[in-house]
Amino acid sequence: MARPIFRSMPPMEVQIIGETPRLKFAAGALFYEERVQDNAQAPNTMQWNAAGTAATVLSLNYDTVTIDRASHVATDSYGAYAQATYTPDIAGDIVHVTGGLRYSNDKKVGQLFTINGATPVSVSGVFAPLNLNTSWARVDPMFNLALDVPRDVHFY
């Protein structure tokens, strides 16, 4: 059984979407912030007989069950994106060229302070919460060339 997860996360996004006779576009920016803390319990609720052929559901007091995992994490993310599809005035408007770009920047800071009911042990043998401090940024491009074909043509 899991204890309540405490979370706050107010995302924000702004978009610009538009269209002209030959160009469709969308652009925007976003910000996401999340603060999470959880305590998870995973007790064994079944007891098997000695032969392993039958099981009984145990009655448990979850207030006395050990917390198996506990952590807290703060996440901050922001990004920007743009995408446009251009339809050139050729071949009866059956050609569409789409390009886009997305930039994202993410940062996570937190700790895992309980594993299997105990304080974690590091690879060097130290008993202490395990820190999660990481960040990354990336750019994801996109390009697509589309061709409208008649319904009775199979195109792939």
Side-chain angles (χ1 to χ4, degrees):
M1 167 155 174
R3 292 288 186 189
I5 296 174
F6 301 100
R7 176 191 289 176
S8 77
M9 51 180 200
M12 293 173 246
E13 183 173 0
V14 177
Q15 288 184 340
I16 298 171
I17 300 171
E19 184 174 334
T20 67
R22 301 240 163 251
L23 185 68
K24 295 179 183 179
F25 61 89
L30 58 102
F31 174 75
Y32 176 79
E33 177 183 83
E34 181 180 51
R35 305 291 181 259
V36 177
Q37 180 175 340
D38 76 334
N39 299 327
Q41 295 169 295
N44 183 359
T45 59
M46 301 292 282
Q47 182 176 14
W48 292 90
N49 65 11
T53 57
T56 304
V57 176
L58 299 175
S59 175
L60 296 174
N61 177 353
Y62 287 100
D63 291 329
T64 63
V65 173
T66 302
I67 294 174
D68 291 304
R69 185 196 73 250
S71 65
H72 66 86
V73 177
T75 302
D76 294 310
S77 298
Y78 63 89
Y81 58 91
Q83 179 173 312
T85 299
Y86 175 67
T87 302
D89 187 14
I90 58 171
D93 294 344
I94 66 167
V95 177
H96 310 285
V97 180
T98 301
L101 200 61
R102 182 180 193 278
Y103 170 78
S104 60
N105 185 300
D106 299 284
K107 178 181 177 184
K108 289 186 179 285
V109 176
Q111 286 187 322
L112 178 61
F113 43 91
T114 301
I115 299 175
N116 295 328
T119 302
V121 182
S122 70
V123 293
S124 57
V126 176
F127 285 83
L130 298 176
N131 292 323
L132 168 66
N133 298 312
T134 188
S135 63
W136 60 92
R138 60 183 288 161
V139 175
D140 296 301
M142 186 279 259
F143 177 78
N144 185 52
L145 179 61
L147 180 64
D148 295 337
V149 297
R151 289 181 176 218
D152 58 347
V153 174
H154 185 68
F155 183 74
Y156 61 97

